[in-house]
Amino acid sequence: MIILMGLAGSGKSTQGQKLAAATGRVWLSAGQILRESGQFDEILNSGNLVDDMLTVEIMAHAMAGVVREGKNLILDGFPRDAKQASWMADNIAEVIEQIILINVPKDELLRRLKARGRADDTEEVILQRFKITEQNMSENSRILEAKGIPTVMIDGTGTPDEVFARLANTIADNHNAV
C-alpha cells in the first residue's frame, strides 16, 4: 500500500489514478468516497472533516473490499489526522510500503483549485482545508514512520506527466517498480 499525502490541489487524485493505471493497484480517495456517499455534503462544503472514526470505518470497509479482490492499494487523503494515522499504525502498518508527500507552493494550489471549479472550492474553504491538513500531515508521517514506514517528498509542480515521472522514480527507488 502506498499513501499519497499533500494539500488539496497537490495532484494526489491525478497521480493516484495514473499510478493505479500503471501498476494495477486500486486508487482509493477518502474525499471521493465521502463525497459520493452524499451523507456529508454540509460538512465537506464548509471545509471541515468528517468524524475521525466514521472515516476510519468507511475507509476500512473500502480497503477490505480491495484486499478481498487480491489487489494492492493507493490511498489518497487518508489518514487525515493523528487518530486515523494511529489506527493505521496499530492495524495495518505492515502492509504500508511508503508515504509520498506531494509538495506544491500554496499560490499554485489556490490557482489549481479555483480552476477545477468544484462547488466546495471557495477560497475560504480552501484555506480552511490547508490549515487542517498542514496541522496533521507531519504528525501523521511521524506516527507511521515510527512503525518503519518511510516518507518521501516529491515536487508536485509541472505537468501531470512530469510529476508522475518523479512519482514513478520514487517508487522504483523503494524497490516497488512501476
Side-chain angles (χ1 to χ4, degrees):
M1 176 184 310
I2 294 171
I3 299 172
L4 297 179
M5 288 188 185
L7 293 175
S10 62
K12 295 181 304 292
S13 296
T14 298
Q15 296 306 320
Q17 291 173 58
K18 287 173 80 68
L19 186 59
T23 63
R25 293 172 185 250
V26 175
W27 169 72
L28 286 180
S29 163
Q32 181 177 2
I33 290 169
L34 294 171
R35 279 190 300 278
E36 287 179 354
S37 77
Q39 299 175 42
F40 310 105
D41 292 346
E42 187 175 323
I43 294 168
L44 296 172
N45 288 340
S46 69
N48 292 311
L49 300 176
V50 174
D51 176 75
D52 283 322
M53 295 320 291
L54 180 56
T55 301
V56 166
E57 182 181 321
I58 291 166
M59 290 304 293
H61 178 75
M63 289 186 283
V66 172
V67 171
R68 278 194 298 275
E69 293 174 5
K71 296 184 178 175
N72 204 336
L73 296 159
I74 300 161
L75 290 182
D76 163 0
F78 184 78
R80 291 238 183 220
D81 61 25
K83 286 182 185 177
Q84 294 174 5
S86 293
W87 178 86
M88 292 180 86
D90 292 342
N91 293 284
I92 62 171
E94 66 279 354
V95 298
I96 303 171
E97 299 159 49
Q98 72 184 126
I99 300 163
I100 300 174
L101 176 59
I102 303 173
N103 188 35
V104 180
K106 284 185 190 171
D107 59 336
E108 172 66 11
L109 293 173
L110 280 169
R111 187 194 62 73
R112 288 180 185 184
L113 291 170
K114 288 177 181 179
R116 78 179 177 185
R118 235 176 45 198
D120 62 336
D121 280 340
T122 66
E123 188 162 341
E124 182 180 338
V125 169
I126 291 167
L127 293 174
Q128 175 67 13
R129 272 195 233 126
F130 286 175
K131 180 180 175 186
I132 292 169
T133 304
E134 285 178 319
Q135 291 170 349
N136 294 320
M137 273 193 309
S138 64
E139 188 170 3
N140 294 347
S141 294
R142 236 183 355 268
I143 290 166
L144 295 171
E145 285 172 346
K147 292 287 189 170
I149 301 162
T151 298
V152 180
M153 184 179 300
I154 66 166
D155 177 2
T157 61
T159 68
D161 288 341
E162 290 168 339
V163 176
F164 183 73
R166 288 184 213 112
L167 177 62
N169 286 337
T170 297
I171 292 168
D173 288 347
N174 262 353
H175 311 293
N176 300 312
V178 173

